[in-house]
Amino acid sequence: MLTIILIIILTTINAIFAASEMALVSISPSTMYQLKQNNDKSRILEKVTKDSTKYLSTIQVAITFAGFLSSAFAGSQLSGDLIVIFDNLGIRISNSLSVIIITVLLSFFTLVFGELVPKRIALSKSIKIALLTAPIIYVVMLAFTPFVWLLTNTTRLVVRLFGIKNTRKEEITEKEIKEMIVFGHIEGLYQEDEKDMMQRIFMFDDITVDEIMTPL
């Protein structure tokens, strides 16, 4: 019973970090700016999201440790119980097969409740979860500094070898803003005349002096 409780706790830890990962990567620079203006709790979130490689490394270290401990407890403690259960049913299985069955069941349980469900929830409530879990990520980031440092610098080295200078897009392009205006109009956020007015703002940059000059 104690082993099952430990597995549930470790799966919960996995779920928290999985949800945090999805929520943090969903925070755009514009959203972060708005949070800084309206929410005093966003300071830690800003510290965490300042370096995406670092917080992703922190999350992966935590998830890896939780998964490793969960598998270790399940394999060593539950395999014997599973053999007894099958013996009572008149079925004899080896210890190796018992470990495989336990691993498959644990993987299914972890994937559903430790990964997929938390990430799905995080997508719908990204800001709330990001603000809630940022302090946890920050503390773990400090606690696992050696591991995070090693993973962060190794990741940066590999990324540079692939010729990628920046793994996070920080700027919003003019094209994206235009697409947002069109999307807002489609969704009913802007009226037709409002959409036209905003689109004409971008046209001013393309107009030359000759085009607006009036002959005397």
Side-chain angles (χ1 to χ4, degrees):
M1 185 66 182
L2 180 60
T3 302
I4 295 177
I5 293 175
L6 286 173
I7 291 173
I8 292 174
I9 292 173
L10 291 169
T11 303
T12 302
I13 293 173
N14 195 111
I16 291 172
F17 282 94
S20 178
E21 178 182 15
M22 185 60 67
L24 290 174
V25 298
S26 301
I27 300 295
S28 64
S30 58
T31 301
M32 189 68 246
Y33 177 78
Q34 293 175 1
L35 288 173
K36 287 169 60 179
Q37 305 301 313
N38 304 317
N39 197 316
D40 294 334
K41 297 179 181 179
S42 64
R43 288 186 298 174
I44 295 180
L45 177 59
E46 184 182 12
K47 290 181 180 180
V48 171
T49 56
K50 189 175 181 180
D51 189 338
S52 60
T53 303
K54 193 172 183 179
Y55 76 70
L56 288 174
S57 298
T58 300
I59 291 172
Q60 288 307 312
V61 168
I63 288 177
T64 300
F65 268 100
F68 175 79
L69 292 175
S70 181
S71 299
F73 280 122
S76 62
Q77 301 295 325
L78 298 181
S79 59
D81 295 335
L82 188 63
I83 292 175
V84 173
I85 292 174
F86 274 96
D87 281 341
N88 293 334
L89 296 175
I91 303 172
R92 295 180 62 85
I93 62 173
S94 65
N95 184 68
S96 299
L97 180 58
S98 176
V99 171
I100 292 173
I101 295 173
I102 291 294
T103 302
V104 171
L105 293 175
L106 179 62
S107 298
F108 176 80
F109 181 78
T110 303
L111 281 172
V112 174
F113 297 101
E115 291 283 344
L116 298 178
V117 172
K119 287 183 176 180
R120 187 65 180 270
I121 295 173
L123 282 175
S124 61
K125 300 181 179 180
S126 59
I127 296 177
K128 185 177 181 179
I129 291 177
L131 288 170
L132 185 65
T133 58
I136 300 174
I137 301 300
Y138 186 70
V139 171
V140 175
M141 189 182 295
L142 296 177
F144 287 108
T145 297
F147 298 101
V148 174
W149 180 88
L150 179 61
L151 287 175
T152 300
N153 286 279
T154 302
T155 302
R156 286 173 178 167
L157 177 61
V158 174
V159 167
R160 287 174 184 172
L161 290 176
F162 279 99
I164 302 174
K165 296 181 179 180
N166 189 2
T167 57
R168 182 174 180 179
K169 190 176 182 181
E170 297 289 349
E171 297 180 354
I172 300 177
T173 64
E174 180 180 321
K175 180 181 178 182
E176 289 173 330
I177 296 176
K178 290 179 178 178
E179 290 174 350
M180 290 169 63
I181 292 172
V182 174
F183 179 76
H185 172 63
I186 294 174
E187 292 294 314
L189 299 176
Y190 310 126
Q191 299 298 324
E192 182 70 28
D193 55 344
E194 293 175 324
K195 176 180 74 71
D196 293 340
M197 180 185 69
M198 287 186 285
Q199 287 179 328
R200 289 193 185 104
I201 293 175
F202 292 98
M203 295 174 59
F204 281 114
D205 188 48
D206 302 322
I207 299 176
T208 63
V209 176
D210 292 337
E211 291 175 327
I212 62 175
M213 286 179 64
T214 303
L216 296 177

